[in-house]
Amino acid sequence: MRWREIEVSTGSREQLVEITSAVASEIGNSGVENGTCHVYVPHTTAGVTIHENADPDVARDILTGLARLVPAEGDYRHAEGNSDAHLKASIMGFSAMVPIIDGLPALGTWQGVYLCEFDGPRRRRVLIGVLGS
Ligand code: ZN
């Protein structure tokens, strides 16, 4: 497994940042024709997901929906005051897998890979691993 790390700067407290092109570049640079690409975010208040990249309102709706599910203020004990960010990151998850077929990411027509920021703005690390032959 070949792992590379990229850095993503986020611009607001909550934001979905598309990283599909970085994922595609790592797959292309790896020379792998058939395999898997794993995307991992080593943070506790940011996650990763795959969702629609055609209509930017979908990203907005995801953030709005998560805010409904996880209020900013609540019965939280974590002293940092960012418990909602930890919960939202856990809901979205910290890794995603993209199949590699014929040297390309096998994403659906409307799919993109997104870093999910919940406690920004800050710089985030994303690990992209490619496995295959
Ligand atoms: Zn915290």
Side-chain angles (χ1 to χ4, degrees):
M1 172 89 81
R2 158 199 162 115
W3 287 98
R4 293 294 188 87
E5 183 175 315
I6 64 168
E7 194 173 82
V8 178
S9 294
T10 61
S12 57
R13 183 165 194 267
E14 297 193 343
Q15 182 182 16
L16 299 188
V17 180
E18 186 168 13
I19 57 171
T20 309
S21 61
V23 171
S25 289
E26 290 302 326
I27 291 172
N29 293 339
S30 73
V32 167
E33 286 293 312
N34 290 288
T36 53
C37 178
H38 298 267
V39 182
Y40 177 75
V41 175
H43 297 285
T44 62
T45 55
V48 66
T49 192
I50 296 173
H51 77 77
E52 170 161 332
N53 67 356
D55 179 0
D57 281 344
V58 174
R60 178 266 179 202
D61 290 349
I62 287 172
L63 293 177
T64 304
L66 285 171
R68 265 199 314 274
L69 289 171
V70 184
E73 304 293 328
D75 181 24
Y76 304 129
R77 294 188 177 178
H78 179 49
E80 283 185 325
N82 61 353
S83 289
D84 66 316
H86 289 293
L87 269 72
K88 290 168 185 170
S90 289
I91 288 170
M92 298 307 281
F94 302 99
S95 65
M97 187 280 293
V98 179
I100 302 168
I101 300 174
D102 297 332
L104 297 172
L107 290 164
T109 303
W110 310 113
Q111 286 185 322
V113 183
Y114 287 80
L115 169 81
C116 307
E117 175 65 81
F118 297 113
D119 197 20
R122 61 169 87 181
R123 297 167 97 91
R124 296 296 196 174
R125 298 165 55 213
V126 179
L127 294 169
I128 303 172
V130 175
L131 183 66
S133 55

